[in-house]
Amino acid sequence: MISRPFRIGTRGSRLALAQAHEVRARLMAAHALPEEAFEVTVISTAGDRIQDRALSEVGGKGLFTKEIEDALLGGRIDVAVHSAKDMATAVPDGLALTAFLPREDVRDVFIGRSVRRIADLPQGARVGSASLRRQALLKRLRPDLDLVIFRGNVQTRLQKLERGEVEGTLLALAGLNRLDAADVAGEILDLDAFPPAPGQGAICVEQRAADEATAALVAPLDHADTHRALLAERAFLAVLDGSCRTPIAAHARPDGEGFRFHGMILTPDAARMHETRLSAGRADLVEAAAEAARRLVADAGPDFFAGWFG
C-alpha cells in the first residue's frame, strides 16, 4: 500500500508534463490505483531557465536533469521522469535508470514557415536548431543554409518560427505526437540520412538505486526492447564521451530475434562523417554497440575529435 502520494518529479514544459502524466497513467493502470495516489512535482532546471545560449556553452545535458536528480537524492521526490536523450551517459551515484517506456517514433521532422521540405528552402535560408547533430546533418544536406541556435520548448520554437525569426526548424516527431501536434510537421526525415540522437523518442524513469519498493512499483512500466536499445545507444555514446558538444547519432531497433544498430559521428562543421551499421543478438547488442564506437574512434583518428572538447 502507498501511505502517501508517490511523487513524480519532472520539468515543467508541456511535453515534460505530458511524459510525467503518461508515467502516472501507466502506474495507475498497472497497480489499480487512483490518480490521487500520485503527485506530479514540477522542478525548474537550469536548462529551462537559460535560453540565450547553446547548451554546449553552459554545461551540456546535465542542465536538464541536475536539479531533478538532486531532489531525488534528497528524498523530495520518489522517481524522476526524463526524455532519455537528455540524460548524460553517467548517472549520479545512488541513482539508477530502471524503466524505459515503449518508444515513440524516433524520426526528426522539418517544419517550415512557408515551405514543407528542406529541399524547397531558398538559398541561404535561416534555419534554427539547438542540436549540433541536427545542424551537422542539415549542413550535409544543404551547406548553403544559415544555421542558428534555437532554444526553447516546442511551443516557444513554433512561436519563434511563426514570428519569422527563422524560415524553418527541426523537432522530434515523438514530442509532437505526445503533444497531439503532429499536424504541424512538414517533412518527416529519412532515418538513413538523418538518424536520431541516442535515446530519442524514449521516456525513462530514474530512481534511488537502493529503493526496492519503488523498483517493484515501476517494474511493470519497463519495455524490454526499448530498454535494450537504449542500453546499446548509451554504451555507444559513453565510448565517444558524448555530450551536447558532439554531433552523434545512434539508433538500435528490434529486427527479428535480434537488433539492428546504426551509429554516426560527425564533425560540427559536417566536413567529415563516419558511420557504422551492424546486426546483433539481444545478449550481444550492448557490447557490439560499444565496440562499434571504438572502431569509429580508431577509423576517424585523433584529429577528428580534436576540436570537440577544447
Side-chain angles (χ1 to χ4, degrees):
M1 290 291 293
I2 296 178
S3 60
R4 57 160 175 79
F6 185 81
R7 299 159 300 182
I8 301 170
T10 178
R11 295 165 58 198
S13 71
R14 280 183 57 193
L15 178 56
L17 287 170
Q19 294 178 164
H21 291 163
E22 180 175 346
V23 168
R24 181 179 64 186
R26 288 177 180 270
L27 287 170
M28 290 165 56
H31 300 286
L33 289 168
E35 185 173 307
E36 55 265 29
F38 302 93
E39 178 182 286
V40 174
T41 302
V42 173
I43 299 169
S44 174
T45 71
D48 296 308
R49 297 190 296 271
I50 301 171
Q51 296 291 322
D52 59 344
R53 285 165 285 169
L55 290 178
S56 57
E57 297 176 7
V58 288
K61 293 185 177 187
L63 290 174
F64 286 124
T65 60
K66 184 181 185 304
E67 288 90 345
I68 300 175
E69 290 176 328
D70 286 347
L72 191 53
L73 286 167
R76 299 190 298 278
I77 57 175
D78 297 300
V79 294
V81 176
H82 306 284
S83 293
K85 72 175 181 179
D86 288 340
M87 300 301 292
T89 52
V91 176
D93 289 344
L95 300 181
L97 302 180
T98 53
F100 293 86
L101 274 59
R103 200 171 200 173
E104 247 285 2
D105 198 313
V106 303
R107 292 175 294 178
D108 285 311
V109 300
F110 170 74
I111 306 169
R113 195 162 72 93
S114 57
V115 299
R116 291 187 60 81
R117 301 186 308 146
I118 294 170
D120 296 333
L121 284 165
Q123 190 81 5
R126 175 171 285 198
V127 176
S129 175
S131 160
L132 292 185
R133 173 191 60 88
R134 288 173 178 152
Q135 287 195 0
L137 290 170
L138 263 180
K139 287 175 185 176
R140 289 183 64 82
L141 293 175
R142 288 285 304 270
D144 62 289
L145 296 177
D146 177 18
L147 303 180
V148 297
I149 295 294
F150 207 54
R151 293 287 314 286
N153 60 39
V154 172
Q155 288 74 27
T156 300
R157 296 187 207 189
L158 293 177
Q159 289 164 4
K160 289 180 178 180
L161 177 63
E162 189 174 344
R163 290 198 299 265
E165 294 185 24
V166 293
E167 289 301 314
T169 189
L170 296 167
L171 292 172
L173 181 55
L176 295 177
N177 284 341
R178 291 189 176 112
L179 291 170
D180 294 322
D183 58 310
V184 305
E187 179 182 12
I188 299 177
L189 302 179
D190 178 74
L191 275 177
D192 283 332
F194 224 95
Q200 185 156 310
I203 297 170
C204 64
V205 178
E206 187 178 27
Q207 66 164 85
R208 290 180 290 278
D211 187 345
E212 295 181 2
T214 291
L217 190 77
V218 168
L221 275 60
D222 191 45
H223 185 255
D225 281 350
T226 300
H227 199 143
R228 179 62 56 177
L230 268 289
L231 288 178
E233 292 171 20
R234 288 174 60 78
F236 181 81
L237 196 62
V239 170
L240 297 166
D241 193 23
S243 74
C244 287
R245 296 170 291 173
T246 62
I248 298 172
H251 180 215
R253 61 183 177 88
D255 181 36
E257 295 299 310
F259 282 77
R260 295 179 63 186
F261 182 86
H262 180 199
M264 182 185 292
I265 57 175
L266 306 95
T267 50
D269 62 3
R272 297 172 62 190
M273 181 271 283
H274 292 268
E275 65 182 329
T276 181
R277 298 175 190 271
L278 60 90
S279 295
R282 185 175 301 273
D284 304 323
L285 176 65
V286 176
E287 177 52 36
E291 177 58 27
R294 290 189 283 266
R295 289 198 304 270
L296 283 187
V297 171
D299 291 344
D303 63 312
F304 186 92
F305 302 91
W308 287 19
F309 308 112

